[in-house]
Amino acid sequence: MSDLRAAALEWLAQDPDPDTRAELRAILDNDDREGLSARFGGRLEFGTAGLRGELGAGPNRMNRVTVMRAAAGLAKCLPRGGRVVVGFDARHGSQRFAHDTAAVLAGAGLRPQVFTHPIPTPVLAHFTRVFDDVVAGVMVTASHNPPRDNGYKVYWSDGAQIIPPTDAEISAAIDTIDRVDTLPLGSGWPTLDTTDLYLDAVASLDLGPPDPDLSIVYTPLHGVGRDTLISVFERAGFGAPIVVPEQADPDPDFPTVAFPNPEEPGALDLALGLAEARGADLVIANDPDADRCAVAVPHAGGWRVLTGDEVGGLLAEHILDHTTGSDRLVATTIVSSSLLRSIAAAHGVRHTETLTGFKWIMKAARPSDRLVFGYEEALGYSVGDDRGVLVNDKDGITAALTVATLAAHARRNGHTLLDLLDDQAHKYGLHTTTQLSIRATDPAQITTTMSRLRTKPPTRLGGRTVEEFDDLADGINGLPPTDGLRFRLSRRARVIIRPSGTEPKLKCYLETITPVHDDVTTTRAHAATDLNALRTDVAAMLSGAPPRSG
């Protein structure tokens, strides 16, 4: 404990933030050993997603010292004189962290340029890509994490998130930084006060005409997407969406939702209620930094929220119907639905699967490929036209516009998005997916469970035989090794299990594929029963219990 106290005192001496100094002083004065250990017993690791964690004092929290050390490490890996674009969302501390980053970068001989106002993450990714002299981008955001969190994402000059070995090189450089109060700091950097380059690029996507009469309810979930999305829709020829008033303004406390994630139960309740009251045609939601997009449609007197895989399949077909060329590539992750493979084959284009995360999707193209669409089941989509994808990361604004364009196209032909889903089921088989997450109070539980499943994998799940078992840590089909397990089951089913990269939990991805011989509604009911049986057995397997469904 004396070592932790010494580390805390050293931290106090260099911390420029009066709030975290007061927090740490109180912990020391109260001899709060648990609080001290939580903050100084470890540190936030810099990886391919940058940094993300709870706000507070110490190396295991997001704070000004952590951010300044990260910026100094990043600066060591960049060419002197290069331009770095810095953006931030509306979370607690984001703007301060952005300006601390700029000060450190400027002091290290780089040329930071900081947005004057909160922006969506895809705007930062786009600006990083379009300027020849930009060597990196930094986005201060924790995306859809709880209000107490913040984070720090790094983009390279291609506008994509960093991947190994760049992340390890930056992490090693961060480790060489001593005290931040000795770092040279710059001032007076230029700013960016407009996002017109991004707005014009999105509005110019050539994927079909708009429908100004399409009625859309939209929620930014207290995030930063509203103004950007409304501007894009109006420039593209759509009417302005109806914004959920309680969630319209940026608010770092996210007061109307338990978790500011459109995938979470209840997160879309206000939007769905407003859509029902207004008789809307479509509901669209972004997460707080607007890099993800959720969709809901009218169904059987109520509303149905589409899964990320369903939206991914619909967008893929629409984009391939509106683009040309044998060099086109569509990409997704190994945990997303296998439907994309069938769609690509039907359109005569190449398809590939990557590890989880958009950083890998954006590296999937060969020199001869033109990536026109990439997606992951967690509501992330990168949309393009014949020019290729617009943003080299997931982009909830561009995805929202493309969903509206697709809905307009279906409406002109007397169809709905649900009709299009039924059409795909008839053509490719009904691909039904779901997820299961098991949160751990102790991260060691995750390691223990993964080790147990590697040593003794199941032979049956959901009444199906496990026909193949792949340990993704060995690297398969040319993919880099990763901590994950894949089970291929009889009658075209699949289960993948992996630890979350941002939270202490195991994530499971389940898929069944059912041929549609006649009525798709009946097939959906049977598929739901099969998927629930599979989900029940996977949950039992993770708890150490035997399968329950035969």
Side-chain angles (χ1 to χ4, degrees):
M1 185 57 65
S2 60
D3 289 343
L4 295 183
R5 288 188 66 87
L9 289 171
E10 183 179 355
W11 190 277
L12 270 176
Q14 63 173 313
D15 190 351
D17 191 330
D19 292 335
T20 47
R21 285 203 310 271
E23 171 194 333
L24 190 51
R25 187 75 265 172
I27 289 172
L28 290 168
D29 290 346
N30 294 325
D31 196 25
D32 181 357
R33 299 187 179 189
E34 183 177 339
L36 201 61
S37 179
R39 290 161 177 78
F40 289 87
R43 69 180 181 91
L44 296 182
E45 296 293 335
F46 188 94
T48 51
L51 294 166
R52 192 178 296 185
E54 186 176 348
L55 291 163
N60 206 30
R61 296 287 188 268
M62 281 294 296
N63 50 66
R64 294 182 66 185
V65 175
T66 297
V67 165
M68 292 172 75
R69 292 184 75 246
L74 173 63
K76 287 192 171 189
C77 299
L78 296 174
R80 189 175 180 86
R83 181 151 63 123
V84 182
V85 182
V86 183
F88 57 93
D89 67 8
R91 283 180 176 266
H92 292 296
S94 287
Q95 186 171 18
R96 177 70 265 175
F97 294 160
H99 285 276
D100 283 337
T101 295
V104 172
L105 294 175
L110 290 147
R111 295 185 294 121
Q113 191 168 16
V114 185
F115 278 90
T116 57
H117 56 283
I119 59 167
T121 293
V123 173
L124 185 281
H126 181 69
F127 270 71
T128 304
R129 178 186 183 184
V130 296
F131 294 112
D132 291 339
D133 62 337
V134 169
V135 295
V138 173
M139 181 68 193
V140 182
T141 179
S143 191
H144 55 275
N145 275 39
R148 65 180 181 273
D149 291 358
N150 213 325
Y152 192 92
K153 294 177 71 172
V154 175
Y155 292 84
W156 225 229
S157 58
D158 60 355
Q161 294 182 56
I162 57 173
I163 61 171
T166 303
D167 57 338
E169 293 168 356
I170 296 173
S171 182
I174 292 172
D175 289 341
T176 68
I177 306 302
D178 190 13
R179 295 171 60 106
V180 300
D181 56 347
T182 64
L183 292 172
L185 302 179
S187 61
W189 47 81
T191 60
L192 286 163
D193 60 3
T194 177
T195 60
D196 281 348
L197 279 175
Y198 172 84
L199 299 176
D200 291 340
V202 178
S204 72
L205 278 170
D206 186 16
L207 295 172
D211 181 350
D213 297 324
L214 192 70
S215 176
I216 301 171
V217 164
Y218 168 70
T219 175
L221 286 184
H222 301 292
V224 297
R226 179 193 60 193
D227 294 348
T228 302
L229 183 137
I230 290 175
S231 294
V232 161
F233 272 54
E234 291 179 341
R235 292 184 188 209
F238 282 92
I242 305 163
V243 181
V244 176
E246 300 92 334
Q247 299 172 334
D249 295 327
D251 188 330
D253 294 319
F254 307 107
T256 68
V257 290
F259 290 96
N261 182 350
E263 291 184 289
E264 291 287 337
L268 300 185
D269 284 356
L270 288 174
L272 298 178
L274 180 59
E276 183 67 25
R278 300 292 289 268
D281 301 308
L282 191 65
V283 168
I284 292 175
N286 287 139
D287 65 339
D289 70 329
D291 66 351
R292 301 179 190 227
C293 177
V295 179
V297 294
H299 174 61
W303 285 81
R304 177 180 160 193
V305 180
L306 304 186
T307 69
D309 283 319
E310 287 176 328
V311 175
L314 291 176
L315 291 180
E317 193 111 54
H318 183 71
I319 290 166
L320 291 178
D321 282 340
H322 287 80
T323 55
T324 59
S326 59
D327 61 338
R328 288 172 294 168
L329 169 69
V330 292
T332 189
T333 67
I334 57 174
V335 302
S336 302
S337 174
S338 58
L339 173 61
L340 188 61
R341 180 187 299 113
S342 298
I343 294 173
H347 287 265
V349 304
R350 196 170 87 82
H351 159 271
T352 191
E353 292 182 349
T354 72
L355 294 183
T356 306
F358 246 86
K359 58 185 176 287
W360 297 113
I361 291 175
M362 302 321 301
K363 302 296 185 182
R366 304 173 304 193
S368 58
D369 291 327
R370 176 167 44 99
L371 181 66
V372 295
F373 179 64
Y375 97 94
E376 62 182 359
E377 38 60 53
L379 309 184
Y381 316 94
S382 180
V383 171
D385 53 20
D386 272 326
R387 298 168 294 183
V389 294
L390 177 68
V391 174
N392 278 348
D393 197 14
K394 53 185 176 289
D395 180 354
I397 304 293
T398 309
L401 178 63
T402 308
V403 167
T405 304
L406 171 58
H409 175 79
R411 183 179 178 180
R412 281 191 297 272
N413 290 283
H415 298 135
T416 67
L417 296 187
L418 294 181
D419 293 331
L420 300 185
L421 287 175
D422 287 349
D423 290 345
Q424 288 189 329
H426 280 287
K427 285 192 289 187
Y428 308 119
L430 179 61
H431 291 63
T432 310
T433 60
T434 192
Q435 289 187 34
L436 172 66
S437 293
I438 306 295
R439 189 172 292 273
T441 55
D442 180 0
Q445 294 175 327
I446 294 175
T447 303
T448 300
T449 300
M450 293 294 288
S451 178
R452 171 170 58 82
L453 295 177
R454 284 187 166 97
T455 303
K456 191 176 181 180
T459 58
R460 289 183 67 80
L461 288 171
R464 301 167 188 251
T465 302
V466 177
E467 296 182 336
E468 294 181 36
F469 166 61
D470 296 318
D471 187 345
L472 304 182
D474 297 332
I476 58 170
N477 300 329
L479 295 176
T482 189
D483 188 7
L485 306 172
R486 181 168 64 186
F487 307 93
R488 296 191 185 276
L489 314 179
S490 58
R491 292 183 285 126
R492 302 180 72 191
R494 180 212 69 193
V495 174
I496 294 178
I497 302 172
R498 71 174 183 90
S500 169
T502 57
E503 301 174 82
K505 64 183 181 182
L506 281 174
K507 301 187 74 172
C508 311
Y509 307 84
L510 288 61
E511 180 180 38
T512 62
I513 305 173
T514 310
V516 179
H517 298 299
D518 189 12
D519 178 44
V520 69
T521 302
T522 302
T523 305
R524 287 189 188 280
H526 289 318
T529 300
D530 288 347
L531 201 61
N532 283 336
L534 185 57
R535 182 187 175 96
T536 297
D537 272 8
V538 170
M541 174 182 68
L542 295 179
S543 69
R548 304 175 189 175
S549 55

